Amino acid sequence: VTNGGKTTLSEKLKKMLPNCDIISQDDFFKPESEVETDERGFKLYDVLDALYMDEMVKSIHNWMNSHTCSAVVTEEPQNTCDSVKNTEDVFILIVEGFLLYNYEPLNELWNRRYFLTLPYEECKRRRSTRVYQPADTPGYFDGHVWPMYLKYKNELEENTSNIVYLDGTKPQEELLSCVYSDIIQELKKLRE
């Protein structure tokens, strides 16, 4: 969900985890001139077509290839070097964004999936405190942002499994502790 705490959680995890990098979906938005506008005049940023998703996938693959001994925790480890189990050389990539699980080419890459949720009122309140470039136009949240969130959330619930849902209204430290503990448990399993 927009303004759910994805970037904050990712940045805090990066500081706590060894050899950790972040790729943010926000870095792959198309320029405003390439983003479609609907009949109401809303720029359609909350859709996959507003992003260079192929470039994002390439960036993730490039990161993975540059860490050939990467042991990013998986339910079914792939391309994991045997020596990782006996060393501390584990590399972790956090990919954060709002439409990650709705883009099929990425779904084969995920090892762990977390989804932050917020109720409508809290999401709208947080969104109103942020400054976007270009700025949200009046009615944009109700007319585009929230409907697209509901649409994509319903799609992922129908088509995606193994998602850990996190309540974005909980204190940041509680969310951080939950995800960090989960990752540490997975790392321990990997080393066994």
Side-chain angles (χ1 to χ4, degrees), residues 56-126:
M56 184 176 192
V57 171
K58 282 183 199 172
S59 293
I60 294 168
H61 281 291
N62 287 341
W63 185 92
M64 292 170 72
N65 291 334
S66 70
H67 298 85
T68 56
C69 202
S70 177
V72 181
V73 185
T74 66
E75 287 101 18
E76 300 172 18
Q78 299 173 358
N79 302 324
T80 303
C81 296
D82 291 336
S83 63
V84 169
K85 294 181 181 181
N86 300 319
T87 71
E88 295 297 312
D89 294 331
V90 175
F91 298 91
I92 299 168
L93 177 63
I94 297 171
V95 181
E96 67 96 4
F98 68 109
L99 289 176
L100 299 175
Y101 308 138
N102 300 89
Y103 190 66
E104 191 57 38
L106 287 175
N107 283 330
E108 64 194 47
L109 302 177
W110 304 133
N111 305 323
R112 304 294 292 162
R113 302 168 202 243
Y114 302 96
F115 190 93
L116 283 155
T117 62
L118 284 177
Y120 168 85
E121 289 298 332
E122 178 62 12
C123 187
K124 188 172 184 175
R125 184 194 68 74
R126 288 185 189 184

